[in-house]
Amino acid sequence: MNFDFPTFLVLACLVTGGIWLADAVLFAPRRKRALVPDTGGAAPAEADVPATGYKEPVIVEYARSFFPVLLIVLLLRSFLVEPFRIPSGSMMPTLLVGDFILVNKFAYGLRWPVLNRKFLQIGDPERGDVAVFRFPQEPSVDYIKRIVGVPGDEIRYRDKTLYVNGEPASQTPAGVYLGVGSGANMTDTDLRLEDLTGREHRILVDPSVPDYKCTPYSELAVGRRLKVPKGSYFVMGDNRDNSNDSRCWGFVPEENLVGKAIAIWMNWDTQRDGFPVDWGRLGNLIE
């Protein structure tokens, strides 16, 4: 069962803010009046109002303390940046198991938290972006892949090569990959530099396995082109032969997009030799 943190934040803000507001409007004035001495109907002098003895209920103190913090966290996560952890090796070598990343939440427009409805258009996804999205087959689960096809593109995948609008994404050999920690099982796969219509990034390819290790989606399995419909995107993992992506289950609807991955702020992999943190990955930008 996945914990819905955005919904929890919204509810926590409503509860703490509601308690604080209700107390400030309805109950706090009564408590203060109860502490003012009886002057026979005359307005009390300022000096008559006791400086001590006034005490808020504990629940109001907690609500007043936590509400601003919860609200700031909600605003940051909803409209600026949100942290995510990489749980699998599908985006190796770009992202490793145990990477903690920051995702730009406003790159593709601002959405209301929980409702996920866009209220401000800012930008559109581009080919080559590494994007976080809600998995179409299980929206409660977040996936991260590289966008390789935008609306209107014709996609084809054959012999380990991606074709976009009939043009192959060129691949330059970059040696043999040496995996570490949780990614050690990818050692000896081919490391290649792929040029995706002008944007270069590294990928892993295993020539010894078939093009598809999952049930192929639609006509891709027979080498035909697949057109990306309006409002949808075609995504793939950089670890081409170990990724559950659009080749297996189809397109990502625009409304499922969460944001654009921009940087790595921590790496923690207990399978690494020695200390579990790879200090060299901290602060790296995601390309």
Side-chain angles (χ1 to χ4, degrees):
M1 181 177 180
N2 294 290
F3 180 63
D4 192 343
F5 192 58
T7 300
F8 166 77
L9 278 178
V10 171
L11 291 177
C13 285
L14 290 175
V15 171
T16 55
I19 292 174
W20 187 14
L21 179 62
D23 181 75
V25 174
L26 300 176
F27 304 110
R30 298 179 186 177
R31 291 196 301 272
K32 291 179 180 178
R33 286 197 298 268
L35 294 174
V36 177
D38 186 4
T39 59
E46 185 175 345
D48 293 332
V49 179
T52 61
Y54 178 77
K55 183 175 178 60
E56 287 182 332
V58 174
I59 189 173
V60 175
E61 289 186 21
Y62 277 114
R64 182 165 53 85
S65 300
F66 283 115
F67 174 71
V69 178
L70 292 169
L71 182 60
I72 290 173
V73 173
L74 175 64
L75 293 176
L76 287 175
R77 285 177 55 97
S78 300
F79 305 127
L80 294 179
V81 294
E82 183 174 356
F84 286 88
R85 182 180 183 275
I86 304 300
S88 74
S90 68
M91 280 298 293
M92 293 172 61
T94 304
L95 297 172
L96 305 182
V97 176
D99 279 346
F100 289 80
I101 65 171
L102 293 177
V103 174
N104 183 334
K105 296 296 292 287
F106 58 85
Y108 305 143
L110 297 180
R111 298 177 183 272
W112 294 114
V114 180
L115 298 177
N116 294 312
R117 293 180 181 176
K118 185 182 294 186
F119 65 88
L120 180 62
Q121 178 67 34
I122 295 178
D124 294 314
E126 299 179 354
R127 261 187 242 103
D129 286 357
V130 177
V132 172
F133 56 92
R134 297 189 305 280
F135 184 35
Q137 295 185 341
E138 191 175 352
S140 62
V141 178
D142 291 319
Y143 268 34
I144 182 167
K145 305 292 179 187
R146 189 178 298 274
I147 295 176
V148 300
V150 298
D153 282 347
E154 289 186 330
I155 300 297
R156 180 187 178 200
Y157 188 74
R158 189 175 185 181
D159 298 330
K160 310 296 183 184
T161 300
L162 170 68
Y163 295 81
V164 181
N165 298 323
E167 296 295 326
S170 65
Q171 297 179 3
T172 304
V176 176
Y177 184 70
L178 177 61
V180 297
S182 298
N185 62 317
M186 296 309 302
T187 296
D188 293 333
T189 52
D190 287 356
L191 180 62
R192 302 179 184 179
L193 187 65
E194 182 179 72
D195 186 342
L196 184 60
T197 59
R199 296 183 64 173
E200 291 186 336
H201 57 274
R202 298 185 303 162
I203 63 173
L204 294 182
V205 173
D206 186 351
S208 67
V209 301
D211 283 354
Y212 298 95
K213 295 180 69 175
C214 60
T215 302
Y217 175 72
S218 189
E219 299 180 335
L220 285 178
V222 293
R224 295 179 182 173
R225 297 180 182 180
L226 191 66
K227 188 169 184 178
V228 183
K230 182 179 179 180
S232 297
Y233 297 88
F234 196 92
V235 300
M236 294 176 65
D238 288 349
N239 192 351
R240 289 294 163 80
D241 297 303
N242 288 275
S243 174
N244 178 28
D245 52 39
S246 287
R247 293 171 293 176
C248 305
W249 39 259
F251 305 105
V252 176
E254 190 274 340
E255 58 266 23
N256 283 46
L257 294 175
V258 174
K260 178 181 178 181
I262 55 176
I264 301 168
W265 65 271
M266 173 58 76
N267 172 275
W268 183 275
D269 184 359
T270 56
Q271 300 301 312
R272 285 176 52 86
D273 293 333
F275 197 67
V277 175
D278 184 351
W279 301 104
R281 298 188 63 76
L282 275 61
N284 288 354
L285 299 180
I286 298 173
E287 299 179 354

